[in-house]
Amino acid sequence: MDFLPIFMNLKGRSCLVVGGGEVASRKASLLLDAGADLTVVAPELANTLQAWANSGRVKHREAGFEASDLEDVVLVIAATDDEAVNRQVSELAQARALPVNVVDNPSLCTFVMPSIIDRSPVQIAVSTGGVSPVLARLLRARLESLIPSAYGRLASMVEGFRDAVKGRFDDVNSRRGFWEGVLQGRVAELVFAGKDDAARRELEASIERGEVEMPGEVYLVGGGPGDPDLLTFRALRLMQQADVVVHDRLVSKEVLDLCRRDAERIYVGKERDNHSVPQDQINQLLVDLAKQGKRICRLKGGDPFVFGRGGEEIDTLTANGVSFQVVPAITAALGASSYAGIPLTHRDYSQSVVFVTGHLKDGSMNLNWKGLAQPQQTIVFYMGLKGLPVICEKLIENGLSPDLPIALVQQATTPRQRVYTGTLSTMPQIIEGTTIKPPTLIIVGDVVRLHERLNWFTSDEEAGEKQ
């Protein structure tokens, strides 16, 4: 171990930064966040430091560094662009046994500044010992995605109950087991969901019972349009901790592969006129699994509340007293349009957008065609592939131009994405006899004209066709 990682209490203690540029500003910001009483020595200051000096957040000595600047300080950072000055600061500070850091010069440092993940009071420091600060930042970014921002609130909450837990449990092992249950169970999830008061009540009840209950819970998670990079941090965390994954046909393989590997997987996908598991049975399945004390990830393509039947499922969960969370996602319309270079609204082409399902619960297409066929409006059809000829016909009948552009996007945001474009009059013939790979999305409107100009994403399939 090249360095001993420690955390210093600098609240109200005098610290010194030598240098007034932007690098010095970043280091000064960290010291201020830690509560230091900060003095900056430099002939002139960058804008940020000058604003802090003007407001009194930092003391500024407008001059070059002198040995007397080290008097009564407990920590020093040298951040000038003059190597001789930085070396002088380091040597004088070390002679006084003061911790000193010289930016970008590990050989002159007695301590290094790590990359920090701040979930105060929880803090995580990542360091490469000054060898590769960029690598430290990359590692920090990776950890940031795995650690919920609410961990700080969770830590602050449990701090207030430590004495009560000590009084309830006699030995260390019992207390450790209790806290592990709290920090990995219902209390933590309530905090992550922003329900701090409910979490506090749950923790109080657990202390009174002398144990942590681990009731089943359903996570209704939006898997997005297909690209796993579009998942939210919260979705990924819940996918990794679920005991069972109940997933749809429209969830991409890449997204499904990010679920916990040892979790049980149950496929309940649906196709038009072919529901492997009817919706009412899916609803009951979620209830039954939760009653067994399992954590279930109900993983859906797109967003669970946009033609995802999420409302039907949580209605059943609520009726049966099952706890649940809903994690929104980038819905298919947003993902498909973005990756196809088709903005859903544009000041020159469309001032409104409407999402509509291509078939209703009873299998019909009894839609408000007059309301859909409006000028300068973008229409996005979900589940409209089989009804595409009817869609085109009805929109023309209700006043839209046969020459109005239309796009069909298959497997959007994935390497298998393919975009077919045409007009209301030509699209049925364009896709006739073509094998279309679901999921698909249909976009109707003048904004489709922008596809060729604004398309930035070329899938493997489309790239292969251009070769």
Side-chain angles (χ1 to χ4, degrees):
M1 186 166 63
D2 295 330
F3 289 84
L4 176 67
I6 60 174
F7 292 84
M8 296 184 66
N9 182 0
L10 296 178
K11 288 183 173 57
R13 307 185 76 186
S14 297
C15 296
L16 174 69
V17 170
V18 181
E22 290 302 326
V23 174
S25 296
R26 292 197 293 271
K27 303 303 179 184
S29 177
L30 292 171
L31 296 176
L32 290 172
D33 287 345
D37 182 5
L38 184 61
T39 297
V40 177
V41 173
E44 57 183 357
L45 299 179
N47 291 338
T48 302
L49 280 173
Q50 187 62 62
W52 289 341
N54 293 342
S55 66
R57 287 195 71 192
V58 303
K59 303 182 185 72
H60 176 213
R61 195 173 76 78
E62 191 175 348
F65 170 75
E66 297 177 0
S68 59
D69 291 321
L70 298 175
E71 294 178 3
D72 299 323
V73 303
V74 298
L75 182 143
V76 183
I77 294 178
T80 78
D81 55 7
D82 188 323
E83 184 177 353
V85 172
N86 289 343
R87 183 174 295 278
Q88 181 189 21
V89 173
S90 175
E91 290 174 352
L92 291 174
Q94 290 187 58
R96 297 175 180 232
L98 289 174
V100 59
N101 173 268
V102 178
V103 176
D104 290 335
N105 196 334
S107 64
L108 296 180
C109 298
T110 62
F111 76 94
V112 293
M113 296 288 283
S115 288
I116 299 169
I117 300 168
D118 189 2
R119 303 287 190 267
S120 294
V122 178
Q123 292 177 290
I124 301 170
V126 181
S127 174
T128 61
V131 172
S132 178
V134 173
L135 177 58
R137 288 197 295 271
L138 291 174
L139 291 172
R140 182 199 67 189
R142 183 70 60 86
L143 291 172
E144 287 273 13
S145 69
L146 300 175
I147 302 170
S149 60
Y151 260 125
R153 299 204 321 272
L154 178 61
S156 296
M157 177 183 295
V158 300
E159 179 186 21
F161 290 90
R162 290 183 64 188
D163 289 341
V165 171
K166 284 182 181 179
R168 188 68 177 80
F169 299 95
D170 295 331
D171 61 278
V172 172
N173 289 334
S174 296
R175 290 196 293 271
R176 181 185 299 116
F178 177 84
W179 282 124
E180 286 176 352
V182 167
L183 297 174
Q184 298 180 83
R186 177 75 175 149
V187 172
E189 288 301 329
L190 286 169
V191 173
F192 298 155
K195 301 177 180 179
D196 291 24
D197 290 341
R200 193 171 288 105
R201 291 193 297 270
E202 180 70 22
L203 180 51
E204 290 171 346
S206 296
I207 295 172
E208 181 67 25
R209 289 192 305 266
E211 63 179 358
V212 178
E213 289 186 347
M214 302 293 285
E217 187 171 17
V218 176
Y219 313 138
L220 200 65
V221 174
D227 185 346
D229 286 347
L230 298 179
L231 287 169
T232 65
F233 292 158
R234 187 173 174 194
L236 183 59
R237 178 176 61 81
L238 295 177
M239 288 162 60
Q240 287 284 326
Q241 75 180 32
D243 305 307
V244 183
V245 179
V246 179
H247 63 97
D248 285 347
R249 177 176 64 98
L250 301 183
V251 177
S252 72
K253 180 181 182 300
E254 294 86 349
V255 168
L256 190 60
D257 285 345
L258 293 177
C259 293
R260 201 175 99 193
R261 293 195 179 278
D262 62 339
E264 179 185 359
R265 298 188 183 188
I266 301 175
Y267 174 70
V268 293
K270 301 181 183 68
E271 297 179 60
R272 188 183 177 102
D273 303 322
N274 179 24
H275 293 190
S276 63
V277 182
Q279 186 62 50
D280 59 344
Q281 292 185 26
I282 296 174
N283 300 348
Q284 190 58 47
L285 174 65
L286 298 177
V287 171
D288 294 342
L289 290 170
K291 295 289 188 181
Q292 296 170 23
K294 295 181 178 180
R295 296 170 295 183
I296 305 102
C297 175
R298 176 66 175 105
L299 187 59
K300 294 174 171 290
D303 185 279
F305 277 10
V306 181
F307 304 123
R309 304 190 183 184
E312 298 175 42
E313 292 176 358
I314 65 173
D315 193 27
T316 301
L317 296 175
T318 300
N320 286 271
V322 174
S323 298
F324 63 87
Q325 299 184 42
V326 180
V327 182
I330 294 176
T331 189
L334 302 182
S337 63
S338 296
Y339 277 57
I342 304 173
L344 296 179
T345 61
H346 189 286
R347 287 190 297 174
D348 295 332
Y349 298 101
S350 174
Q351 283 72 55
S352 64
V353 59
V354 59
F355 298 167
V356 61
T357 178
H359 67 276
L360 303 180
K361 187 174 182 180
D362 60 3
S364 72
M365 289 187 66
N366 184 24
L367 303 175
N368 180 8
W369 297 107
K370 185 63 69 175
L372 294 176
Q374 297 297 313
Q376 293 192 307
Q377 175 170 272
T378 304
I379 315 166
V380 179
F381 288 90
Y382 285 68
M383 298 168 284
L385 176 59
K386 290 191 176 182
L388 180 60
V390 176
I391 289 172
C392 294
E393 176 186 340
K394 290 292 187 181
L395 291 177
I396 293 172
E397 283 182 7
N398 284 271
L400 291 184
S401 169
D403 296 326
L404 187 67
I406 178 174
L408 186 149
V409 187
Q410 72 166 29
Q411 298 190 324
T413 77
T414 75
R416 300 166 297 282
Q417 174 176 300
R418 173 81 187 275
V419 181
Y420 300 85
T421 58
T423 66
L424 290 179
S425 62
T426 63
M427 183 58 84
Q429 288 74 41
I430 289 174
I431 67 167
E432 186 176 355
T434 303
T435 301
I436 306 294
K437 302 171 184 177
T440 62
L441 200 83
I442 298 168
I443 304 175
V444 180
D446 284 320
V447 289
V448 175
R449 302 183 193 279
L450 298 169
H451 162 63
E452 291 296 336
R453 180 149 50 100
L454 303 184
N455 183 27
W456 62 271
F457 177 81
T458 301
S459 69
D460 293 347
E461 187 164 321
E462 290 169 323
E465 290 180 351
K466 294 177 182 179
Q467 293 177 357

